[in-house]
Amino acid sequence: MDKYKKLATNTLIFAIGTFSSKVLSFLLMPFVTRMMASGQYGAADLVQQTANVLIPIVFLQINSAALRFALDKATDKTAVFTVGVRTTIQGFLVFLLFAYPLSLIKINDFKLGDYIILIYVFVLVSGTRQLCQQFVRGMGHVRTFAIDGIIATATTLLFTLLFLGPLHMGVTGYILAIVASDACSITFFFVTKKLWRYLTFGKIEKKLKVDMLKYSIPLMPTIILWWVINVSDRYMITYFIGSADNGLYTAASKIPNFIVMFSSIFIDAWQLSAVDEYDNEGRADFFTKVFRVYSGGIFAVASMLILLCQLFTKILVAPSYYNSWRYVPILVIATSISCLVNFLASVYMAEKKSVMAMVTALSGAATNVILNLILIPRSGANGAAVATVVSFAVVFASRGAHTRKYVKIRYKLPILFAEIGILIAQCIVLLFGEGGRMTYAIEILLVLAMFVLNLKPIKELAELILGKFLKKKAK
């Protein structure tokens, strides 16, 4: 199959599986924000984010190694999955020793000890699901991966409505809905792909285990550093301002996830193509063409999202959360740049250079912490958003420069800077304008300018995919 058509086919399959779950997070926002006060929502988000940052630490990010090594055709798949499961079990047993010190952590009005059992259950179940997901994806079972996304959407919806609605379980119900859905996914993977066949109690080749851990362990601090950039600002907002403001900021951060929704669908498929095509001639052209279309699509969606952010906020959240729209435009820029950073991560994945992924992420994390400490006390939550933008820009610049050692992607910097400049202009107009028709007239003109900038790469991709497909059909 042609490499562009294969990428398009896998993207469509992943879209079917993940689009519904991403959309669900937006559709549930009106219900969740009505059932939970801003302080409760902020606490629930901190519990979820705490568990998410603990997962790569506890399990040494072994799920990423399961994906990468399962992609290698010559690798023993039973050994790969067995190493993953054993690492997961051993990591959780060690994690149990830290229950008491974790329970003592308190940030302003948020006490971790109140939710320690929830966090432990979340870490175990969600970490196991991630391992199963990535192993199945690495084995090439993209349709199974997609079906699981649909099932996860349905079960998350069911459990959230049940636990927050009739049962009125608050923060506990919000977290248990995710845990219960993840447990259903684990069961689905084991039953449909018979994952027990890839488990053995015998000895595993030591070299494979060492190679997997050498790949995964540097990713562990990388994930933590990403967490610092993405989530640490919520802890600092809670510390400097309080849980209620963090609730508003958390609600605002959900809306830029429209961009993540489109990006993650593509990136899941792109990682497979990046590894498949990495050793072939013409990889620089392949990476360049795909990057141009991907970045253009990201910025086009971002531009529309800034234009419509007030409308989306009004539709998606309870009236008491409406002022959160003021944080959305800057967070949209941050999310857009983070999507470009994720594209470059595919180069490190193909090269198995996880150490450099960590080093570049460190530059962004350090920038983020310093700027958060300076900007949040002075500018509140929007200061945190600005810090996140700068942090992702630093990581993108460092990765863009370093990855040229492996793949010389042609970025067309004047166009890239123009796209970012349009988004910044939209933010300034929306946040500091007087509102009314003039503000939205300028916003619409800027959106049109963004689309004009990206007409050529979108047309190129359409010709590459549709043109080859139509030629094949004519034969």
Side-chain angles (χ1 to χ4, degrees):
M1 186 185 290
D2 175 82
K3 58 188 176 183
Y4 293 102
K5 190 176 177 224
K6 183 177 180 181
L7 175 58
T9 301
N10 283 341
T11 300
L12 179 61
I13 293 171
F14 283 120
I16 293 170
T18 61
F19 189 77
S20 57
S21 63
K22 299 295 183 184
V23 169
L24 178 66
S25 66
F26 299 109
L27 296 181
L28 279 175
M29 280 185 68
F31 174 75
V32 171
T33 54
R34 280 171 172 79
M35 300 304 297
M36 302 173 72
S38 60
Q40 279 188 310
Y41 191 35
D45 179 70
L46 287 182
V47 171
Q48 183 179 359
Q49 299 303 337
T50 300
N52 284 336
V53 76
L54 285 170
I55 288 170
I57 300 172
V58 173
F59 305 128
L60 306 180
Q61 196 55 24
I62 198 65
N63 65 298
S64 293
L67 167 62
R68 182 61 187 88
F69 283 80
L71 283 169
D72 290 338
K73 295 178 176 63
T75 304
D76 181 357
K77 305 302 187 291
T78 297
V80 170
F81 190 59
T82 299
V83 169
V85 171
R86 290 180 182 178
T87 304
T88 298
I89 295 171
Q90 292 164 359
F92 189 74
L93 292 175
V94 173
F95 181 44
L96 289 172
L97 302 175
F98 294 88
Y100 179 69
L102 280 173
S103 68
L104 299 178
I105 296 175
K106 185 178 180 182
I107 304 170
N108 202 337
D109 52 351
F110 174 76
K111 187 177 180 183
L112 207 63
D114 294 338
Y115 309 102
I116 196 68
I117 295 176
L118 274 179
I119 290 171
Y120 266 80
V121 173
F122 189 113
V123 167
L124 177 61
V125 178
S126 186
T128 304
R129 188 207 178 197
Q130 289 178 25
L131 173 64
C132 295
Q133 266 188 319
Q134 299 308 322
F135 178 71
V136 167
R137 185 154 72 100
M139 290 278 286
H141 302 304
V142 292
R143 286 177 176 81
T144 302
F145 184 90
I147 292 169
D148 171 69
I150 297 171
I151 293 172
T153 300
T155 53
T156 301
L157 175 63
L158 173 66
F159 290 125
T160 301
L161 293 176
L162 176 63
F163 295 156
L164 292 186
L167 299 181
H168 300 289
M169 296 175 66
V171 176
T172 301
Y174 183 89
I175 299 301
L176 283 182
I178 301 170
V179 171
S181 178
D182 285 349
C184 291
S185 286
I186 295 169
T187 304
F188 170 75
F189 283 126
F190 266 87
V191 171
T192 58
K193 304 320 297 181
K194 299 180 173 62
L195 292 185
W196 62 83
R197 296 183 303 174
Y198 299 98
L199 288 171
T200 178
F201 294 100
K203 287 186 177 180
I204 297 296
E205 182 186 356
K206 187 176 180 181
K207 184 179 184 306
L208 176 66
K209 181 177 180 180
V210 170
D211 288 345
M212 286 181 68
L213 291 175
K214 280 174 65 178
Y215 177 81
S216 70
I217 289 176
L219 289 176
M220 179 181 73
T222 303
I223 298 297
I224 297 169
L225 293 170
W226 280 126
W227 174 88
V228 170
I229 297 173
N230 281 303
V231 183
S232 65
D233 48 7
R234 301 182 197 180
Y235 287 86
M236 292 190 185
I237 289 170
T238 301
Y239 176 78
F240 286 114
I241 309 173
S243 290
D245 286 275
N246 181 54
L248 294 176
Y249 188 78
T250 299
S253 68
K254 300 293 184 182
I255 293 177
N257 281 344
F258 272 115
I259 303 169
V260 176
M261 175 175 67
F262 289 104
S263 171
S264 62
I265 289 168
F266 174 81
I267 288 295
D268 283 342
W270 167 244
Q271 288 177 336
L272 305 183
S273 292
V275 174
D276 284 345
E277 299 295 331
Y278 195 73
D279 294 326
N280 297 337
E281 290 185 12
R283 69 181 181 186
D285 288 336
F286 182 49
F287 274 67
T288 297
K289 287 177 181 178
V290 174
F291 177 82
R292 286 177 61 199
V293 176
Y294 171 72
S295 61
I298 291 297
F299 285 123
V301 173
S303 184
M304 285 295 297
L305 200 54
I306 293 175
L307 170 66
L308 300 172
C309 71
Q310 288 175 308
L311 176 62
F312 284 166
T313 303
K314 193 170 186 178
I315 294 171
L316 293 174
V317 303
S320 59
Y321 286 78
Y322 178 70
N323 283 336
S324 65
W325 77 265
R326 296 185 178 277
Y327 310 139
V328 173
I330 300 174
L331 287 173
V332 165
I333 298 177
T335 303
S336 302
I337 299 174
S338 77
C339 291
L340 304 187
V341 171
N342 287 337
F343 183 92
L344 295 182
S346 63
V347 178
Y348 292 131
M349 179 182 178
E351 282 280 348
K352 294 182 179 176
K353 299 292 184 182
S354 52
V355 172
M356 285 312 303
M358 176 187 68
V359 172
T360 52
L362 177 61
S363 63
T367 302
N368 185 258
V369 171
I370 293 169
L371 290 179
N372 274 334
L373 291 172
I374 295 171
L375 296 177
I376 292 176
R378 291 170 173 78
S379 305
N382 259 336
V386 170
T388 305
V389 170
V390 176
S391 302
F392 281 127
V394 168
V395 179
F396 178 70
S398 59
R399 284 192 177 183
H402 181 260
T403 53
R404 290 187 64 79
K405 178 180 178 181
Y406 309 113
V407 183
K408 288 183 170 56
I409 299 173
R410 299 182 296 280
Y411 295 105
K412 294 200 172 182
L413 291 179
I415 293 177
L416 194 61
F417 289 145
E419 290 167 330
I420 295 173
I422 289 172
L423 295 184
I424 292 172
Q426 284 187 260
C427 283
I428 293 171
V429 169
L430 197 61
L431 293 175
F432 299 103
E434 296 181 0
R437 292 180 181 179
M438 181 58 70
T439 295
Y440 282 98
I442 297 171
E443 286 286 331
I444 290 170
L445 288 174
L446 289 169
V447 170
L448 290 174
M450 182 69 80
F451 276 86
V452 169
L453 271 178
N454 290 293
L455 282 177
K456 186 176 179 181
I458 293 172
K459 183 181 176 183
E460 281 182 358
L461 185 69
E463 288 175 350
L464 281 167
I465 296 172
L466 296 178
K468 293 176 184 295
F469 176 74
L470 292 173
K471 284 179 184 178
K472 186 177 179 181
K473 191 174 181 180
K475 291 180 181 178

